[in-house]
């Protein structure tokens, strides 16, 4: 990672970077897509010049928020291993969908600005590799499945997220249907 991702910075600059990204994550969801960088700076407890120094535009900030969510919430959830590879895979998918469903504004902004870049997607797909491989090795999933297929399953489940379902019953139902399709089948 480069310094633009918060690593390789002086300790105080890295702390500011983290504070800005966390504040932006909350501000996008609480205020909405029109939240200003000035509001993000206020919430982060830094000057607006600090925000602009780290993020030249909104797209860079959205990209940083998405990467932060993947690194701090999705990757740890997909790294959990028990003695049940199927349950681990399902739990990884459920956790991923739940985390991203809570970020409706960030996801919408990411789509609008193409802020979900190749690196972010690769990190996500890579995080799903181990749970999928373990389930495949145990014969619990279709052998032709690839980690990128799990990204597609995640996106399909997220397509069912809507304001009229605040508890997420619809997304959990559709995710369960999609997960059933991962099971081995007599035909590929």
């Amino acid at each position: 990672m480069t310094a633009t991702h918060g690593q390789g910075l002086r300790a105080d600059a890295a702390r500011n970077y983290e504070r800005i990204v966390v504040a932006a994550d909350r501000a996008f969801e609480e205020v909405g897509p029109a939240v200003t960088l000035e509001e993000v700076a206020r919430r982060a407890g830094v000057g607006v010049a600090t925000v602009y120094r780290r993020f030249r535009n909104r797209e860079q900030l959205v990209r940083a928020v998405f990467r932060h969510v993947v690194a701090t919430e999705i990757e740890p959830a997909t790294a959990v291993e028990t003695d049940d590879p199927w349950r681990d895979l399902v739990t990884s998918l459920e956790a991923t969908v739940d985390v991203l469903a809570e970020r409706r504004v960030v996801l919408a902004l990411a789509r609008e600005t193409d802020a979900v870049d190749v690196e972010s997607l690769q990190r996500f797909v890579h995080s799903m590799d181990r749970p999928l491989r373990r389930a495949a090795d145990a014969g619990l999933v279709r052998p032709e499945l690839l980690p990128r297929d799990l990204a597609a399953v995640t996106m399909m489940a997220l397509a069912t997220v809507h304001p009229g379902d605040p508890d997420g019953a619809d997304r959990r139902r559709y995710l369960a249907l999609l997960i059933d399709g991962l099971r081995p089948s007599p035909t590929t």
Side-chain angles (χ1 to χ4, degrees):
M1 287 188 152
T2 65
T4 59
H5 298 128
Q7 294 182 354
L9 297 172
R10 292 184 333 264
D12 61 330
R15 279 191 303 275
N16 283 344
Y17 180 93
E18 179 80 11
R19 288 170 43 194
I20 293 166
V21 170
V22 169
D25 184 14
R26 289 188 193 121
F28 284 133
E29 297 308 320
E30 291 171 9
V31 177
V35 70
T36 64
L37 294 184
E38 289 78 9
E39 174 64 13
V40 170
R42 186 190 67 72
R43 288 172 175 243
V46 301
V48 72
T50 301
V51 175
Y52 280 102
R53 198 171 25 256
R54 293 284 165 239
F55 306 99
R56 290 188 310 263
N57 55 46
R58 183 189 259 347
E59 181 180 322
Q60 286 184 342
L61 184 56
V62 171
R63 181 175 288 134
V65 168
F66 187 79
R67 285 181 179 156
H68 183 265
V69 168
V70 170
T72 62
E73 296 184 52
I74 293 174
E75 286 177 347
T78 62
V80 174
E81 286 187 17
T82 68
D83 59 352
D84 185 347
W86 173 254
R87 176 80 326 239
D88 293 347
L89 178 63
V90 169
T91 300
S92 294
L93 284 166
E94 290 170 343
T96 298
V97 170
D98 287 347
V99 164
L100 294 176
E102 293 173 10
R103 305 307 199 297
R104 282 189 294 212
V105 174
V106 170
L107 285 176
L109 287 170
R111 285 185 198 118
E112 285 174 21
T113 62
D114 292 327
V116 179
D117 59 356
V118 172
E119 180 183 335
S120 299
L121 288 175
Q122 285 176 336
R123 282 187 72 154
F124 169 70
V125 169
H126 179 71
S127 74
M128 296 304 291
D129 185 58
R130 179 125 175 94
L132 177 58
R133 206 166 359 102
R134 288 183 63 236
D137 290 347
L140 301 171
V141 295
R142 300 170 76 97
E144 71 273 15
L145 282 176
L146 301 170
R148 71 174 187 236
D149 297 329
L150 300 180
V153 166
T154 300
M155 295 311 294
M156 285 186 268
L158 288 171
T160 67
V161 173
H162 58 90
D165 184 28
D167 297 328
D170 283 350
R171 83 167 176 264
R172 281 192 292 284
R173 181 173 158 270
Y174 287 110
L175 181 59
L177 292 169
L178 292 166
I179 287 171
D180 282 346
L182 302 178
R183 293 270 193 191
S185 170
T187 59
T188 58

